[in-house]
């Protein structure tokens, strides 16, 4: 298997008093999807348990959210 590296400026996870959210960073070099839906630059979405974050078009670049 090859190792894939993604930009550290891809997206940001943020926590407020009650929820976690994901923010797609403007100028990111790879796409970020939440549950298969493309996030637009500066798009912020609240995360739920079981959500899947994927980076680029790789099947290996996936994170499963467990809250």
């Amino acid at each position: 298997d090859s190792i894939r590296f993604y930009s550290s400026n891809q997206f940001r996870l943020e926590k407020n008093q009650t929820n976690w959210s994901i923010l797609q960073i403007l100028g990111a070099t790879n796409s970020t999807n939440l549950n298969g839906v493309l996030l637009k630059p500066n798009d912020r979405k609240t995360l739920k348990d079981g959500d899947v974050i994927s980076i680029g078009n790789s099947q290996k670049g996936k994170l499963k959210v467990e809250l």
Side-chain angles (χ1 to χ4, degrees):
D1 284 337
S2 63
I3 297 174
R4 294 184 182 267
F5 294 93
Y6 297 98
S7 169
S8 61
N9 295 318
Q10 183 66 34
F11 61 85
R12 185 168 55 223
L13 296 176
E14 301 175 336
K15 172 114 171 79
N16 64 23
Q17 293 178 354
T18 57
N19 297 309
W20 280 93
S21 61
I22 184 171
L23 174 69
Q24 172 70 18
I25 295 176
L26 181 65
T29 55
N30 292 295
S31 61
T32 302
N33 295 280
L34 179 61
N35 300 320
V37 177
L38 180 66
L39 295 177
K40 296 177 184 171
N42 295 322
D43 199 2
R44 179 179 283 110
K45 299 291 184 189
T46 300
L47 295 172
K48 301 179 296 294
D49 190 44
D51 281 347
V52 176
I53 300 166
S54 55
I55 304 165
N57 59 5
S58 171
Q59 292 296 314
K60 295 180 181 183
K62 290 188 176 184
L63 306 167
K64 184 173 180 183
V65 177
E66 293 183 9
L67 303 174

